């Protein structure tokens, strides 16, 4: 979405057809993701955690595509909710969730220490969320994403 020109009211941009279309498409995609989680897991904790995780990733993707940022005020609380939920419902896999989160974040932090212009800290925090949501599967996800 382009920013409104100087002097143009913000409400004009919010009421634009492109804005409404993008929001409708995002809402539809969110519904599909939630339906997919419940179709896959039924009424189990995985469906609720997966739905939250998927919708947060969708929202972060839309924001990142538009503004090129991953907002801390979304990614950090979402990471806490996902990780706490995983630990509460699956305590036997607690070490996996924590190590996957920390490992994924470190995987992206190390290149930033070498070449800070290459990536932002938002990517590190997003990797933390991915580790909390995917557990050990984050390794496969990162390999596929990097390819």
């Amino acid at each position: 979405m382009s920013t409104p020109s100087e002097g143009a009211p913000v409400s004009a941009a919010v009421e634009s057809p492109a804005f409404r279309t993008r929001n409708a498409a995002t809402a539809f995609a969110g519904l599909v993701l939630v339906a997919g989680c419940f179709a896959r897991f039924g009424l189990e904790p995985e469906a609720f955690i997966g739905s939250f995780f998927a919708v947060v990733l969708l929202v972060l993707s839309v924001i990142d595509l538009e503004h090129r940022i991953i907002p801390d005020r979304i990614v950090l609380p979402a990471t806490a909710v996902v990780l706490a939920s995983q630990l509460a419902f699956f305590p036997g896999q607690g070490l996996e969730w924590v190590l996957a989160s920390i490992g994924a974040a470190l995987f992206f932090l190390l290149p930033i220490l070498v070449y800070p212009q290459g990536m932002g800290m938002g990517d590190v925090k997003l990797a933390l969320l991915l580790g909390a949501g995917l557990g050990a599967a984050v390794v496969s996800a990162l390999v596929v994403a990097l390819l």
Side-chain angles (χ1 to χ4, degrees):
M1 178 178 96
S2 61
T3 57
S5 61
E6 291 296 319
V10 173
S11 63
V14 171
E15 294 173 4
S16 74
F19 181 83
R20 286 194 304 269
T21 301
R22 185 189 61 250
N23 281 351
T26 302
F28 179 74
L31 288 173
V32 169
L33 290 170
V34 169
C37 286
F38 280 93
R40 168 68 173 89
F41 297 112
L43 290 175
E44 297 298 323
E46 293 99 331
F48 291 95
I49 297 168
S51 293
F52 177 78
F53 178 60
V55 169
V56 167
L57 290 176
L58 174 65
V59 169
L60 289 172
S61 297
V62 170
I63 292 170
D64 192 27
L65 286 170
E66 264 187 35
H67 303 287
R68 312 239 346 127
I69 60 167
I70 299 171
D72 288 348
R73 67 178 187 228
I74 296 173
V75 76
L76 294 177
T79 301
V81 167
V82 170
L83 189 55
S85 299
Q86 299 283 35
L87 294 172
F89 288 105
F90 310 104
Q93 294 175 280
L95 186 61
E96 174 187 336
W97 302 119
V98 172
L99 289 179
S101 293
I102 293 169
L106 284 175
F107 181 77
F108 281 99
L109 179 63
L110 294 176
I112 288 175
L113 296 176
V114 175
Y115 184 68
Q117 296 81 14
M119 201 178 332
M121 284 300 292
D123 298 307
V124 174
K125 295 169 203 164
L126 178 61
L128 188 73
L129 172 62
L130 291 172
L134 298 175
V138 74
V139 174
S140 308
L142 292 177
V143 168
V144 169
L146 291 173
L147 291 176

